Amino acid sequence: MGVLRYTPAGAPVVEGKLSHRSQCLEAGIARNVECDFAFLLIGPQAALFAALPLGTQLVCAGFVARRSRHSSAPVLHITRFDVKDN
Amino acid sequence: MAAIVRVALPLPLPRLFDYSAPQALNEHLGRRVRVPWGRSEALGLIWEIAEHSEVAPEKLRAILALEGEQPALPADWRALVEFTGSYYHAALGEVAALAAPGGSWPAPRLVDRLPNWLSITPAGRDALPGLAARLVTRRLLARLEQDGPQALRDLLSEASGTDAKLAELMERGWVEAAPFVTGERPDLTPDQAAVLEAVPASGYAPFLLHGITGSGKTEIYLRLVERALAAGRQALVLVPEIALTPQLAARFESRFPRARIVLQHSGVAEGARARGFFAALGGHADLVLGTRLAVFTPLPRLALIVVDEEHDASFKQQEGVRYSARDLAILRASRAGVPIVLGSATPALESWQHARSKRYRLLSLARRAVPGARLPEVRLIDLNRHAAREGLSEPLLAALTQNLAAGRQSLVFLNRRGYAPVLACAACGWVSRCDHCSANRVLHLAERSLRCHHCGAAAPVPAACPGCGNQDIRGYGRGTQRIEEMLQQRFPQARILRLDRDSVRSARDLEQSVAAVRAHAVDILVGTQMLAKGHDFPQLTLVGVLNADASLHSADYRAPERLFAQLVQVAGRAGRAGEPGSVLVQTQFPQHPLFASLLRHDYPGFAAAQLAERRAAGFPPFAYHALLAADDPQMQTALDWLTAARALAGTPEWVNLFDPVPMRMTRLANRERAQLLVESPARRRLQEFLEVWVRGLYALTTPRTLRWHLDVDPAEI
């Protein structure tokens, strides 16, 4: 996870990498799913998010956009997250 | 019989205006006059007196009144104004309005005519015992007798503020101007002594003083001024805008404690400027120290002109009357028959060429004045080998670390203020273009604003990209604010001071900052050209130059000259006292010949190469330029007008007219700009052509929305 930074207008931003682990059904058969996602979070929650210890398990919602005009790599823009207590 | 006076009014029209006057005497020439203008009134100067007017008698109006009690502006002053008007093809009335003080002119005061310091005469000494003890005059004389020469302002407070008593003492011959003295003077180096010896006390003689940074040029100026003042004459010292600091004025004041020194620059209030102007005109001021407009100060007892940093662009006015104060100063010196010294570490190539062709005599100061002080070692950092992170390469960071550890001061030079030169959106490609200019608005993070450095328009930083709504927009490239931030992160314990036009708003700000640097309350300075000139920071030993490459490949033929001058100036800040200094220049083009000259501190070599290029390309100083510029909301209108102007010229002999083209900075403040370059191998031929052509331009059909101006000897094309 990157350090908290700010947009020129002053909104906090945090970006980094999320690791996803789950089991999903694929054509009727359960399988393990693992993947990594670049993520970005802008707004008041960013400070809270940046303070989470690495390894915290989260449920995130948001949308995917490409990184820039020059890169089609997807970035998950988190608009909502919940810390999973276990 | 009523006479006709022809009045110069402050209007952009190339003519005088006729009025009738009850009487017009030659002594009225150069007097200020109030005249009717349309339904209101205007102030002008009586320029000519005539018996007849072309204006029909029933349309001829009468002047309202002679204005004020100040003396008439003298013939040599009017001649200088006329020359300026004719050489730069500007309206006489506009030049006169620029050259004379504006606003209401203060009435002459007795105190302005009194010497700055007074002493008692033998006659005063004889008269003293006979005066009644209660008399103010006796108190004044007694003080002068007991304590020796006194400053006028101290005597005034003794006389409870009234100047009449002192004027009376002067009139009776009981007091006189105190003898000229100088403050403490450093010993001259042999080089300095030789330079001084070369400059004669009188007679027109132009000199180019090429002195490396820290070689003691200012001391030469002080000694030359001293010579003029000691002989009871006046001196004029012109300096660039940026260099006229309170420190410089204080240096002259402490050297000449009894002299009346007048400051003339745009920061002086109108009333004070007028007082100084008339003090000079009356011969009561000894030294006029000022920026370009000071070249018009009348000086009846002039004995010397000095132009410091003569290469500086600020000597050329860039709007209104586009005159060059340096060139007018040369003319003034030749007309007044006095020596003139143009000083610089990097003379303008025009001046250098004059020195090579023996029109000016070259004087050199090739060593630093402080014993043991040497020019700094200049090294290049090849950015192709040492990638810069956030604008700063590892070798430069290492040098900064080392200098910081040694307790010495460093300067990081970057000629770009703001945080980042552009704000852009990576998602959709939006950039912060100025609505009014063909330029980007600069991100100023401290103020959270986007500002156009060309037209001044400013807006808050948008919360999200105006094109697509993305909030994660960013500043690209680096300005001084960003470098300051980066250095502060890298060196958290260092005291960092940023000096640019955003952090320094006034002369007082600059004074405080400079004082802080000199008091070593600062470890690292980050700044623009504001701190490149003139300042003497004895503890500064390291200079890092960040974006020298920006103007290496500019289309402007003067760009290398300006870059070299700037690098020499900024490098010259290092190691001025005994400690050796070093300069690190980051560049992607270490093989560029400009750097080879810079590393060797070889201005003559650089100038020779540049002059060879200019000769081959037929550029100034081997050709003479005039630039006709037009601007309009529509580019086509501007181009069409210039095309008509070009057609008007026909195909003159000796003069070459280029095609009208859009300017490099095409759009400025909602105006589309185009230009037409006129070139000639001979100054006189160009002038002959312009005289006829400009008259035609005034008669040309001109759309109401279009504005045009002519720039003779333009600084940029």
Side-chain angles (χ1 to χ4, degrees), chain A residues 5-11 13 15 40 42-43 66-70 77, chain B residues 423 425-429 443 445 448 461-463 470-475:
Chain A
R5 60 181 176 84
Y6 293 86
T7 70
V13 183
E15 52 188 326
L40 184 98
I42 302 181
R66 65 179 180 184
R67 182 172 288 286
S68 76
R69 277 204 309 161
H70 308 292
H77 290 245
Chain B
L423 180 67
C425 172
C428 75
L443 174 61
L445 204 52
R448 291 247 159 88
V461 167
N470 171 25
Q471 292 185 53
D472 196 16
I473 44 181
R474 299 188 195 189

Side-chain angles (χ1 to χ4, degrees), chain B residues 591-645:
Chain B
Q591 306 305 323
H592 198 284
L594 185 145
F595 290 129
S597 300
L598 184 72
L599 298 189
R600 293 197 307 269
H601 300 283
D602 181 15
Y603 170 80
F606 169 77
Q610 281 291 309
L611 284 170
E613 275 181 32
R614 299 259 188 110
R615 190 191 290 276
F619 279 141
F622 303 102
Y624 298 89
H625 282 168
L627 196 68
L628 181 64
D631 60 80
D632 189 89
Q634 302 298 324
M635 175 53 79
Q636 199 53 48
T637 313
L639 287 171
D640 288 348
W641 188 84
L642 289 173
T643 306

Side-chain angles (χ1 to χ4, degrees), chain B residues 109-125:
Chain B
R109 296 179 306 190
L110 275 176
V111 64
D112 294 326
R113 294 209 300 271
L114 292 169
N116 220 22
W117 275 66
L118 295 146
S119 58
I120 190 165
T121 62
R125 224 164 261 138

Side-chain angles (χ1 to χ4, degrees), chain B residues 422-435:
Chain B
V422 64
L423 180 67
C425 172
C428 75
W430 174 86
V431 292
S432 55
R433 295 199 64 82
C434 179
D435 301 339

Side-chain angles (χ1 to χ4, degrees), chain B residues 210-508:
Chain B
H210 174 229
I212 61 164
T213 53
S215 62
K217 290 187 290 294
T218 310
E219 185 58 28
I220 298 286
Y221 308 149
L222 286 162
R223 296 295 181 118
L224 288 170
V225 169
E226 174 185 330
R227 214 151 59 175
L229 267 46
R233 312 268 305 265
Q234 296 172 304
L236 172 63
V237 176
L238 302 179
V239 297
E241 262 162 39
I242 210 165
L244 186 53
T245 56
Q247 285 93 328
L248 183 70
R251 205 162 156 192
F252 277 88
E253 276 160 14
S254 69
R255 181 63 64 88
F256 309 116
R258 291 182 185 175
R260 179 165 291 163
I261 299 175
V262 157
L263 295 181
Q264 294 278 292
H265 58 90
S266 53
V268 175
E270 231 169 34
R273 190 197 156 204
R275 279 211 185 283
F277 183 92
F278 287 110
L281 167 60
H284 311 300
D286 301 302
L287 168 64
V288 172
L289 180 61
T291 55
R292 61 173 178 257
L293 63 80
V295 77
F296 293 109
T297 315
L299 294 153
R301 294 185 286 113
L302 183 65
L304 167 78
I305 302 181
V306 169
V307 183
D308 187 25
E309 309 284 1
E310 62 91 28
H311 66 282
D312 194 87
S314 75
F315 286 120
K316 180 84 171 28
Q317 175 136 311
Q318 301 288 355
E319 56 186 28
V321 182
R322 289 158 201 261
Y323 67 98
S324 158
R326 177 195 65 210
D327 297 351
L328 288 179
I330 291 280
L331 175 94
R332 233 189 129 170
S334 86
R335 288 193 171 175
V338 300
I340 177 167
V341 176
L342 310 177
S344 177
T346 51
L349 288 175
E350 277 84 353
S351 304
W352 190 249
Q353 179 59 21
H354 282 324
R356 294 210 318 182
S357 66
K358 310 287 181 213
R359 242 186 94 181
Y360 298 167
R361 199 168 143 205
L362 181 64
L363 304 170
S364 293
L365 290 174
R367 278 185 286 268
R368 287 198 152 179
V370 174
R374 282 177 309 148
L375 280 175
E377 186 199 352
V378 181
R379 279 188 295 139
L380 299 178
I381 298 173
D382 184 351
L383 289 178
N384 302 301
R385 286 176 46 215
H386 305 279
R389 258 190 41 248
E390 283 290 327
L392 296 158
S393 63
E394 269 313 316
L396 178 55
L397 284 169
L400 285 169
T401 310
Q402 214 176 35
N403 218 39
L404 200 58
R408 286 196 264 238
Q409 285 177 322
S410 309
L411 158 64
V412 175
F413 176 77
L414 170 69
N415 213 3
R416 192 186 268 158
R417 63 197 171 88
Y419 186 84
V422 64
L423 180 67
C425 172
C428 75
W430 174 86
V431 292
S432 55
R433 295 199 64 82
C434 179
D435 301 339
H436 315 300
C437 306
S438 32
N440 292 328
R441 289 198 180 161
V442 176
L443 174 61
H444 287 250
L445 204 52
E447 302 85 357
R448 291 247 159 88
S449 72
L450 286 173
R451 292 193 194 160
C452 176
H453 286 186
H454 297 277
C455 74
V461 167
C465 170
C468 71
N470 171 25
Q471 292 185 53
D472 196 16
I473 44 181
R474 299 188 195 189
Y476 290 84
R478 271 159 294 275
T480 44
Q481 289 183 0
R482 191 169 200 163
I483 295 298
E484 178 192 18
E485 182 186 277
M486 195 275 169
L487 287 168
Q488 197 65 78
Q489 278 167 11
R490 177 81 187 221
F491 305 109
Q493 70 295 68
R495 296 162 299 175
I496 297 176
L497 178 69
R498 175 166 57 87
L499 269 179
D500 57 30
R501 207 134 51 82
D502 300 314
S503 69
V504 177
R505 297 287 171 117
S506 65
R508 248 193 74 211

